Amino acid sequence: QVRLVESGGGLVQAGGSLQLSCAASGRTYAMGWFRQAPGKEREFVAAVVDGEWYADLAKGRFTIARDNTKNTAYLNMNRLKPEDTAVYYCAAGAPGTLSMSTQYDYWGQGTQVTVSS
């Protein structure tokens, strides 16, 4: 069992930046970020597993990274837009996990990101 704890969410103006962190209680293989806005389905943002992978919504603005010595993944978000407002979730999974939420075994509680216009 792996416990994931996200941090770093908050309120930011459009065009601003935030860094989200996800601390895992143990070693993980694939780590990903998803988000869910009110009334919408959870969607893939980025994953780090044998390289970095991004949804189109994140390309050029978001960067995912991990520090295996700390069992922590990060999501650096730049040029934020109001449509980026959502609860952001960290997830961890086994080898072969990538962009489908059903592939992930462990989830954090989520952190709210609000981007004001």
Side-chain angles (χ1 to χ4, degrees), residues 19-60:
Q19 183 187 63
L20 305 183
S21 299
C22 173
S25 61
R27 186 171 181 174
T28 60
Y29 192 78
M31 295 191 77
W33 289 95
F34 290 75
R35 71 185 190 184
Q36 188 166 18
K40 296 188 177 181
E41 293 187 354
R42 190 170 298 188
E43 61 180 349
F44 172 71
V45 176
V48 55
V49 50
D50 296 329
E52 293 80 42
W53 306 87
Y54 298 94
D56 287 344
L57 65 91
K59 290 179 181 177

Side-chain angles (χ1 to χ4, degrees), residues 3-7 42 87-90 107-112:
R3 182 168 176 256
L4 304 174
V5 179
E6 301 102 331
S7 61
R42 190 170 298 188
V87 177
Y88 284 71
Y89 296 91
C90 174
W107 291 84
Q109 80 289 350
T111 185
Q112 177 70 47

Side-chain angles (χ1 to χ4, degrees), residues 44-76:
F44 172 71
V45 176
V48 55
V49 50
D50 296 329
E52 293 80 42
W53 306 87
Y54 298 94
D56 287 344
L57 65 91
K59 290 179 181 177
R61 298 190 301 129
F62 296 178
T63 303
I64 190 170
R66 69 188 299 167
D67 184 340
N68 289 329
T69 65
K70 299 180 179 179
N71 292 328
T72 299
Y74 304 94
L75 184 68
N76 292 294

